[in-house]
Amino acid sequence: MTEYGRGQGSEPWHPDDPLYGDGGWGGQQAQAGQQPPYGGRPQQHPQQPQYGEWGHEQQAGYGGQYQQQYGEQGHHQYDQQQYTGHFQDQRQYHQGGWDGTGGQQQPAYPADPVDPYGQQAAAYDAEQPDFYGTPEAYPPPQPPSRRRAEPEPRPDWDPEPEPGQKDEHPFFAGGDEDDDADADDPKNEDRGRGDRKGRGGKGKGKKRRSGCACLVVVMVFGGGAVGVTYYGYQFYQNRFGAAPDYAGNGNGEQVTVVIPKGAGGYVIGQELKKAGVVASVDAFVSAQEANPNGKQIQDGVYTLQKHMSAANAVRLMLSPESRSNLIIAEGKRNADIYELIDKRLEVDEGTTAKVAKSEWKSLGLPAWAMNHKDVKDPLEGFLYPSSYSVAKGQKPKDVLKQMVARANETYERYKFAEKAKELNLKDPFELVTVASLVQAEGKTHDDFRKMSEVVYNRLKPTNTETYQLLQFDSTFNYLKGESNIHISEKEINSNKNPYNTYTNKGLPPGPIGNPGDDALKAALNPTHDGWIYFVATDGMNKTEFAKTHAEFLKLKDKFNASSGN
């Protein structure tokens, strides 16, 4: 490329050309069969020094011709105006030439200064070819600076129109948008002749097709706008709009919903939505967060209604009225729990007790709870007090597994295996037994830690007060399956069953009930005040403690006085 941005070489010019100095000029090739001047090459005007002596000889030749035609003055004027003016500005084009197509040519002979376009032959008597009279010469050539690029060939997917068929509007066929306007503009007459838009022509049919196409575009964009509006609204509703929710307390149709253990707000909402209670999970979660006690919803079975508002569903689930769970109270014995399970499952009485007796080894007891001698019920102490999802259709074995698993989880959390050794017990099974005694004998939660100390102090080998006898009525009552506080000394002293702690030293063979969380904590952390005796002085709820046998006798008299003995 040269410093002017075109291909190498200069372009022919004419002194009378109004575009002289504005991008150069290029003509058409001669017709076939006609001999263009100087071998068909566009006329070049290299600098005189470039060609050495050859250039002088040529100049001399031309000078002779001019002298014959115009005289010495014309020749001199030509040299002065042209070679000192134009060619000094075009020095960089001395190599090569411009052939009208952008190609490179070898240096050409200088053109006739009077006939720079090659219109005249070498001699006046020769026939002069008319380059503008040929079909190839229309439209007239354009200077490179005003010439538009040749249109690219149509791709395979855009074939040429059939004969007689007009091309599409350029807006839809790939042409310029302002073809029609340019074609009507007289200023663009020359430029429009060689453009691609000449194929389509002008006419009403073209405009009609353009109108139809625009209508299609409008319909497409209009439909897109509607779609965007709809989905935008849906997006706004999903992100910022209120979640779908029912109104009222329900439609009167009751349903039972089982909430699994450890379920959070979203899981609970999913279960309620699945049962048709609430309209959406988000509505329930929002209502639960808005309720100060919403986080207190527990696992279990709930009786609710369909189509309830989320707020009403939360309030009902917090109320005992909706709870359909099987609730196991603290200190409950296994025999009583078996009966409750039978009733909830609506099976024959004794069904669950038979399953427990025959399949207790497969219900998930820990290894340290297996194979203890003289144990009345191996599952005692492992049906953890809590609320369980128990409904008709379940199997007793599955319900028992739930309870045993809950007990195992609790005992592991409190590290019973480690704490038992610290408390001088044989194994964690004895720790569960101590907790069951605390639960059975303590009347209030404030009593539990003192009661725990009484047990440990009486188990000590150094105990000279009771000589390792616990002497708990609760163990004898467990043996008998009763809850009697008035037991005669004769009955107690005559019974040698291992569960009779009046006649047998140490702990009973196993737990006598299912201790709750407070009793478990008390068994792990007893007081250290020296308590070794206790008496329910009012016969029911008030328990008083003593450290010596003399103090114990005073408490016993107090009890007899309150009971009328």
Side-chain angles (χ1 to χ4, degrees):
M1 296 290 289
T2 68
E3 64 185 34
Y4 291 94
R6 291 196 293 266
Q8 294 180 358
S10 61
E11 301 177 5
W13 60 277
H14 191 282
D16 296 332
D17 187 354
L19 299 177
Y20 167 68
D22 186 19
W25 180 265
Q28 299 289 339
Q29 297 293 333
Q31 300 184 38
Q34 293 181 348
Q35 180 66 29
Y38 307 107
R41 295 187 179 92
Q43 306 309 307
Q44 304 288 336
H45 302 278
Q47 295 181 16
Q48 181 177 354
Q50 184 69 24
Y51 296 93
E53 294 297 328
W54 177 87
H56 287 290
E57 293 176 1
Q58 294 295 332
Q59 182 178 2
Y62 283 111
Q65 182 179 358
Y66 274 98
Q67 287 176 6
Q68 293 177 6
Q69 297 180 11
Y70 301 104
E72 184 67 21
Q73 183 178 359
H75 178 71
H76 177 74
Q77 180 180 0
Y78 168 77
D79 289 341
Q80 291 295 326
Q81 292 179 354
Q82 309 305 326
Y83 277 91
T84 61
H86 179 72
F87 288 111
Q88 289 181 4
D89 295 336
Q90 300 291 335
R91 287 192 301 272
Q92 65 272 22
Y93 295 117
H94 68 273
Q95 293 182 352
W98 176 76
D99 59 1
T101 62
Q104 182 80 11
Q105 285 193 352
Q106 298 297 328
Y109 295 99
D112 191 339
V114 178
D115 186 20
Y117 297 95
Q119 296 286 353
Q120 300 180 6
Y124 283 98
D125 57 349
E127 183 180 355
Q128 298 180 4
D130 184 9
F131 290 98
Y132 290 94
T134 63
E136 291 82 355
Y138 185 82
Q142 299 291 328
S145 63
R146 300 181 60 188
R147 193 169 297 164
R148 301 183 66 177
E150 289 295 325
E152 296 182 1
R154 282 179 176 253
D156 295 337
W157 47 265
D158 185 20
E160 289 288 345
E162 297 294 336
Q165 179 182 359
K166 294 184 178 180
D167 202 354
E168 295 282 348
H169 190 279
F171 177 77
F172 302 102
D176 296 335
E177 297 183 23
D178 58 345
D179 284 352
D180 291 340
D182 289 345
D184 294 337
D185 189 352
K187 296 181 181 179
N188 298 326
E189 180 179 0
D190 291 341
R191 184 166 61 90
R193 290 174 181 174
D195 286 349
R196 177 181 174 184
K197 56 175 169 281
R199 295 199 313 266
K202 298 184 291 181
K204 295 182 179 179
K206 182 175 181 180
K207 295 183 178 179
R208 284 196 297 269
R209 285 194 297 273
S210 302
C212 293
C214 291
L215 179 59
V216 171
V217 171
V218 171
M219 292 176 64
V220 170
F221 280 99
V226 173
V228 169
T229 302
Y230 172 77
Y231 286 106
Y233 174 78
Q234 293 297 324
F235 177 83
Y236 176 84
Q237 285 294 107
N238 293 337
R239 288 297 184 93
F240 307 106
D245 196 4
Y246 295 125
N249 295 322
N251 61 4
E253 182 180 354
Q254 289 189 342
V255 291
T256 299
V257 182
V258 179
I259 304 302
K261 178 187 176 184
Y266 279 98
V267 176
I268 297 174
Q270 289 172 353
E271 295 296 328
L272 295 179
K273 186 177 184 300
K274 188 188 305 181
V277 177
V278 298
S280 66
V281 176
D282 289 341
F284 176 81
V285 173
S286 298
Q288 184 187 33
E289 293 177 352
N291 192 307
N293 299 320
K295 299 298 183 180
Q296 298 180 11
I297 296 178
Q298 300 178 359
D299 60 293
V301 181
Y302 293 85
T303 301
L304 305 169
Q305 292 188 31
K306 287 187 175 182
H307 293 191
M308 298 183 67
S309 69
N312 285 331
V314 171
R315 283 194 291 269
L316 186 57
M317 294 182 76
L318 291 172
S319 171
E321 299 177 1
S322 66
R323 298 297 294 271
S324 299
N325 280 17
L326 176 60
I327 299 175
I328 304 302
E330 297 174 345
K332 209 77 166 170
R333 297 174 184 169
N334 281 7
D336 297 330
I337 297 175
Y338 297 150
E339 294 180 3
L340 293 174
I341 295 174
D342 289 342
K343 292 179 180 179
R344 178 55 60 90
L345 299 180
E346 299 184 13
V347 296
D348 294 339
E349 185 178 350
T351 299
T352 304
K354 291 178 182 178
V355 172
K357 185 176 182 180
S358 62
E359 301 186 36
W360 65 271
K361 292 183 179 181
S362 63
L363 298 179
L365 288 173
W368 48 262
M370 308 288 285
N371 304 320
H372 289 275
K373 185 180 179 181
D374 299 327
V375 173
K376 184 178 179 179
D377 185 347
L379 295 180
E380 196 75 66
F382 291 88
L383 304 182
Y384 188 74
S386 185
S387 176
Y388 296 94
S389 302
V390 180
K392 182 180 179 180
Q394 289 182 276
K395 296 180 179 180
K397 183 176 181 179
D398 294 335
V399 177
L400 294 174
K401 280 185 175 181
Q402 285 187 63
M403 298 178 177
V404 172
R406 187 75 62 87
N408 289 339
E409 178 185 340
T410 304
Y411 299 153
E412 289 178 3
R413 185 172 71 251
Y414 287 137
K415 300 180 180 180
F416 266 36
E418 300 176 10
K419 295 295 184 179
K421 295 179 180 180
E422 296 177 7
L423 295 168
N424 297 318
L425 299 173
K426 293 179 181 179
D427 51 36
F429 189 72
E430 287 192 343
L431 184 53
V432 177
T433 301
V434 172
S436 69
L437 296 173
V438 171
Q439 183 76 66
E441 293 288 350
K443 302 302 179 182
T444 65
H445 294 296
D446 296 336
D447 296 340
F448 285 162
R449 292 190 63 207
K450 294 179 180 179
M451 190 66 65
S452 177
E453 183 185 359
V454 169
V455 173
Y456 289 122
N457 286 338
R458 290 198 175 199
L459 291 177
K460 291 179 179 180
T462 57
N463 172 21
T464 58
E465 292 288 335
T466 63
Y467 300 96
Q468 297 178 327
L469 292 173
L470 292 180
Q471 298 177 330
F472 282 6
D473 292 345
S474 57
T475 61
F476 190 82
N477 281 327
Y478 177 77
L479 169 63
K480 303 290 289 186
E482 301 174 349
S483 296
N484 189 2
I485 63 174
H486 298 287
I487 304 174
S488 64
E489 292 184 5
K490 181 180 179 180
E491 184 180 4
I492 291 176
N493 293 332
S494 63
N495 191 319
K496 303 298 180 179
N497 188 284
Y499 278 92
N500 186 351
T501 55
Y502 282 97
T503 58
N504 294 279
K505 293 182 179 182
L507 293 171
I512 61 174
N514 292 279
D517 196 63
D518 288 340
L520 293 174
K521 291 178 180 179
L524 294 171
N525 186 27
T527 59
H528 300 279
D529 298 327
W531 307 117
I532 197 171
Y533 297 96
F534 64 93
V535 176
T537 53
D538 63 350
M540 292 295 295
N541 298 320
K542 185 177 181 180
T543 302
E544 298 186 52
F545 294 85
K547 298 176 182 178
T548 64
H549 188 263
E551 292 176 351
F552 164 70
L553 292 178
K554 293 180 179 179
L555 294 177
K556 187 176 181 181
D557 292 339
K558 188 176 182 178
F559 166 75
N560 291 331
S562 63
S563 60
N565 294 332

